[in-house]
């Protein structure tokens, strides 16, 4: 009986160890499945990163293209601004010339009016003198 109890205890201990081994195997299988899921997730993330990198390269190319267009537009704007400045200068010169001409015309007109007034006064004086002589 003592031997039977010992064998029974050994069987129980062996069964307990076997159960623990089975639990450990289940945990290993679960960890392995989780690792496979993680690896799959990592592969998906890698794929997304690769797509993002391609998109980034495309975006960089577009940015460079746009920067080139902006540079060209800036050059054209500077050229247009220079042309506008030249036209402004020409307009200013023309306005100055027109103002000077108008001032000259006014001075000439005033001189003519002054001469006319003097001539009229002279004619009136001569007329008055003639009238006096006739009396």
């Amino acid at each position: 009986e003592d031997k039977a109890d010992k064998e029974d205890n050994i069987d129980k201990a062996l069964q307990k160890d076997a159960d623990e081994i089975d639990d450990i195997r289940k945990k290993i299988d679960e960890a392995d499945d989780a690792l496979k899921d993680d690896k799959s997730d990592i592969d998906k993330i890698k794929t997304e990163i690769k797509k993002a990198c391609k998109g980034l390269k495309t975006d960089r190319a577009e940015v460079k293209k746009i920067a080139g267009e902006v540079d060209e537009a800036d050059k054209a704007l500077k050229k247009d601004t220079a042309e506008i400045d030249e036209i402004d200068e020409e307009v200013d010169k023309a306005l100055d010339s027109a103002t000077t001409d108008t001032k000259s015309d006014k001075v000439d007109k005033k001189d003519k009016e002054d001469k006319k007034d003097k001539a009229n006064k002279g004619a009136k004086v001569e007329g008055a003198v003639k009238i006096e002589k006739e009396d």
Side-chain angles (χ1 to χ4, degrees), residues 48-95:
E48 289 177 21
I49 289 172
K50 286 178 183 176
K51 287 179 184 176
C53 286
K54 286 180 184 176
L56 183 59
K57 287 178 184 176
T58 301
D59 291 348
R60 281 185 182 162
E62 287 183 37
V63 167
K64 285 182 180 179
K65 180 182 173 188
I66 291 169
E69 291 172 0
V70 167
D71 285 345
E72 288 177 28
D74 188 45
K75 288 176 186 174
L77 180 61
K78 286 179 182 176
K79 181 181 175 187
D80 291 347
T81 301
E83 289 176 7
I84 288 170
D85 288 345
E86 286 178 23
I87 292 169
D88 279 347
E89 284 181 31
E90 291 175 15
V91 168
D92 287 345
K93 287 178 186 176
L95 287 174

Side-chain angles (χ1 to χ4, degrees), residues 22-40:
D22 284 344
D23 285 345
I24 291 170
R25 282 190 179 139
K26 285 180 186 176
K27 289 179 182 177
I28 289 171
D29 288 344
E30 289 173 3
D32 190 44
D33 289 343
L35 185 60
K36 287 177 184 174
D37 288 344
D38 289 348
K39 187 174 188 244
S40 175

Side-chain angles (χ1 to χ4, degrees), residues 4-5 8 10 34-35 44 48 57 72 98 102 112 118 120:
D5 282 343
D8 192 38
I10 289 173
L35 185 60
K44 288 177 185 175
E48 289 177 21
K57 287 178 184 176
E72 288 177 28
T102 303
K112 287 178 184 176
K118 286 181 184 178
N120 284 338

